[in-house]
Amino acid sequence: MESIVLPGEQVPAQHVNLKLGPGLLQLSSETQQQAKSAPVIATRSGVLNHSANKSKWWVEGNSRRYVPASQESVIGVITGRSGEGWRVDIGSAHPASLDGLAFEGATKRNKPSLKVGSLIYARVSLAHKDMEPELECFDAQTHKADGFGELKDGFVLQCSLQMSRLLLDPKHFLLPLLGSRFPLEAAVGMNGKVWVSTKETKHTIAIVRCIEAVDPDGGGMDETNVKKFLIKLDI
């Protein structure tokens, strides 16, 4: 049964390795021992979710503006230089910063050459309500690119934040279904942006049309109707 929470409401999130996602905040405590049992409250309204072992908790809402959360993957557009790095538009209230060394193998002499308008796939490394979000283009544990970095060619489309979360769910039918019809590459950002790359223009158009049709903010089409839709598109 789904549990709806409101801002300020206490959440029963407890685990030895507790990780809080978007919409949740653990109140500060004076000692480290108290911090482990400090109460967790919701910071926005939505549906309360948790992983199978209850180590990860988050609130899923359908807000229009993206609110950055640590460890989330996003797609952004370079808007300008900022010292040794870049300013990036990720659709949040404030632009994010991306350091020139936040790439696999990057050094002061060997940095990626990004220009205004370049697309990047990055991970939010710092997200705080009183600070600008910070991004990095490598996996924090392995320090390998792991798919992050500049996105070249392809096409970017905007969808609802709820749709982006659905596409990131391995159990969701859409991307595997499209991948079984034709080869494609895709990167999905939690900020409601999807990058796709195919060999044929008609396949790119089909992906865009299908995502728009399945999006809960659009038609909310199910798998059976998507298959019929693809037949109409002759794919």
Side-chain angles (χ1 to χ4, degrees):
M1 182 177 177
E2 293 185 341
S3 177
I4 307 296
V5 293
L6 298 174
E9 189 174 336
Q10 190 165 331
V11 172
Q14 291 184 343
H15 196 274
V16 177
N17 299 314
L18 182 63
K19 291 184 179 180
L20 301 179
L24 294 175
L25 173 69
Q26 189 164 32
L27 301 179
S28 58
S29 298
E30 295 180 0
T31 66
Q32 187 174 0
Q33 186 65 31
Q34 289 176 329
K36 293 181 180 179
S37 58
V40 176
I41 62 170
T43 59
R44 69 186 187 195
S45 58
V47 180
L48 181 64
N49 285 277
H50 59 75
S51 59
N53 63 356
K54 295 188 177 183
S55 65
K56 296 179 181 179
W57 293 70
W58 69 96
V59 174
E60 189 169 301
N62 197 22
S63 59
R64 300 297 173 182
R65 181 180 288 278
Y66 172 65
V67 179
S70 183
Q71 308 305 314
E72 289 187 344
S73 56
V74 294
I75 293 175
V77 181
I78 302 293
T79 58
R81 292 285 305 192
S82 177
E84 295 298 315
W86 297 271
R87 308 275 287 180
V88 186
D89 178 12
I90 58 173
S92 57
H94 302 285
S97 61
L98 174 65
D99 192 273
L101 299 178
F103 293 82
E104 179 185 355
T107 63
K108 288 187 176 180
R109 291 186 176 182
N110 180 30
K111 297 179 184 177
S113 179
L114 299 176
K115 300 178 181 179
V116 173
S118 295
L119 279 172
I120 60 151
Y121 188 46
R123 190 176 64 88
V124 178
S125 57
L126 175 67
H128 192 278
K129 63 178 182 178
D130 297 322
M131 299 174 66
E132 288 186 350
E134 294 181 7
L135 308 176
E136 58 188 16
C137 289
F138 57 74
D139 185 277
Q141 295 180 336
T142 63
H143 285 268
K144 298 292 184 182
D146 198 26
F148 294 114
E150 184 178 5
L151 297 172
K152 298 181 179 180
D153 302 322
F155 181 82
V156 176
L157 66 122
Q158 187 79 35
C159 65
S160 68
L161 300 183
Q162 187 177 357
M163 185 63 199
S164 65
R165 289 191 292 269
L166 290 175
L167 291 174
L168 285 167
D169 184 350
K171 298 178 181 178
H172 195 264
F173 70 88
L174 186 56
L175 290 180
L177 173 62
L178 294 172
S180 67
R181 301 295 181 101
F182 49 81
L184 66 91
E185 289 182 80
V188 181
M190 290 289 284
N191 57 336
K193 295 183 185 295
V194 183
W195 173 85
V196 293
S197 178
T198 63
K199 293 181 179 179
E200 296 186 38
T201 304
K202 69 174 184 177
H203 292 158
T204 299
I205 294 173
I207 294 174
V208 174
R209 295 282 300 277
C210 286
I211 290 177
E212 290 175 346
V214 175
D215 195 324
D217 274 10
M221 192 178 286
D222 59 17
E223 184 174 1
T224 302
N225 285 318
V226 168
K227 289 179 178 178
K228 294 178 181 177
F229 186 50
L230 287 172
I231 293 174
K232 287 184 179 179
L233 294 176
D234 194 25
I235 292 175

